[in-house]
Amino acid sequence: MPLPLVLTLGEPAGIGPELALLAWLQRSAEKLPAFYLRGDIELLRKRAAQLQLNVPLAEVTPQHAASAFPEALPVVPIGQPATAAAGVPDGTSAAAAIASIRLAVEDVQAGRASAVVTNPIAKSVLYQAGFAHPGHTEFLAELAASQCPDQRAPQPVMMLWSAALAVVPVTIHRPLRDAITDLSSELIVSTARIVNAALRRHLAIATPRLAISGLNPHAGEDGGLGTEEQTIITPAIEQLRREGIDARGPLPADTLFHDAARRSYDCALCMYHDQALIPIKTLAFDRAVNVTLGLPFVRTSPDHGTAFDIAGTGRANPSSLIEALRLAARMAAPARS
Ligand SMILES: NC(=O)c1ccc[n+]([C@@H]2O[C@H](COP(=O)([O-])OP(=O)(O)OC[C@H]3O[C@@H](n4cnc5c(N)ncnc54)[C@H](O)[C@@H]3O)[C@@H](O)[C@H]2O)c1
Ligand SMILES: N[C@H](C(=O)O)[C@H](O)COP(=O)(O)O
């Protein structure tokens, strides 16, 4: 029996717990790979009752999760209660969310699960509790360090993937001011190398076409509207092309995402978070998947957040999580064979 995926709890007061229930209910219709939740079974029980969802739950070990999956949503404990009501994070939220992520990564590292799929966390809730990482992406890189030859955290790359568009922000969770000062040719080159290798290895794109955006309006208009294209981005593209990577640009970001433009590349590398995430969340909010590249294991996530405004109301749509489960299984498959 193939290894199951491990799904994290996410923010207990957010929509993650109900998405897990809803995805399990659609397991046959959507032909989903087996998964188990790393979380508190009592929280799941309460959320299922609140939403009148008839989901049998089975507290199991990871080893028994795949065989339990057809009949019940398998839940593997995290040794930490999660008491938050839907929409209202409480004192248990951060500890439970962090424990779930840590244990899910341990499961994959120990060969008990094939890949990690994360439910959304509320970053501000975690920050208030002292969480020192900007998001999952950076935290997962830290947790991966023990698997890397020199015990150093690998460079994590955030890719948002959908049938309509794939994007990568070169700088990730940074205040905009800092994102601009962080930008360097080295960062663009190392990011593009990771994207190129991952698209080849995990998504069977033989020669990925990478569109590299500019930073400034009109990609700097030959230096008249900013010089980063000339001093940072173009040298990076030249280096990538010398390495045989199909990188083109710098391309003005405002004309990078219309239909014809999107057909001309496999992934757009953008210079900062919103330059990349606004177009994909506009085009494919329901279906896009957040993938962390550059880790020694596969991690995917829905593209949306905790949606406190609708948690517990029955309005949460599980389709992005369903796509995340599917993509995780697809990306983990070659690594298993
Ligand atoms: N992977 C992650 O952990 C992740 C991703 C994005 C945002 N976040 C966090 O989520 C929190 C809230 O962020 P936000 O409000 O900017 O974005 P959000 O995605 O949580 O919500 C934006 C809007 O979309 C709606 N929405 C989101 N997901 C939905 C779904 N599955 N079905 C139906 N409607 C849905 C919400 O109700 C809200 O109106 C923040 O703390 C942020 O850090 C986490
Ligand atoms: N930047 C992501 C987004 O806006 O959708 C989100 O914050 C998730 O990031 P992590 O996967 O690193 O938590």
Side-chain angles (χ1 to χ4, degrees), residues 64-76:
H64 294 104
S67 56
F69 183 75
E71 304 302 328
L73 171 59
V75 181
V76 178

Side-chain angles (χ1 to χ4, degrees), residues 118 121 123 135-138 158 160 172-173 273 277 281 290 292 299 301 303-304:
T118 60
I121 50 174
K123 296 176 178 44
H136 282 106
T137 305
E138 301 82 354
M158 177 187 286
L160 278 92
I172 307 181
H173 290 123
H273 183 276
L277 270 58
K281 291 195 182 185
N290 177 352
T292 311
R299 176 270 176 152
S301 174
D303 68 341
H304 55 74

Side-chain angles (χ1 to χ4, degrees), residues 250-263:
L251 299 164
D254 61 345
T255 49
L256 192 49
F257 301 107
H258 63 81
D259 290 349
R262 295 201 312 276
R263 285 193 291 274

Side-chain angles (χ1 to χ4, degrees), residues 146-167:
S146 63
Q147 281 176 277
C148 297
D150 51 4
Q151 307 279 299
R152 286 182 53 188
Q155 180 191 341
V157 170
M158 177 187 286
M159 177 171 75
L160 278 92
W161 174 265
S162 72
L165 175 66
V167 289

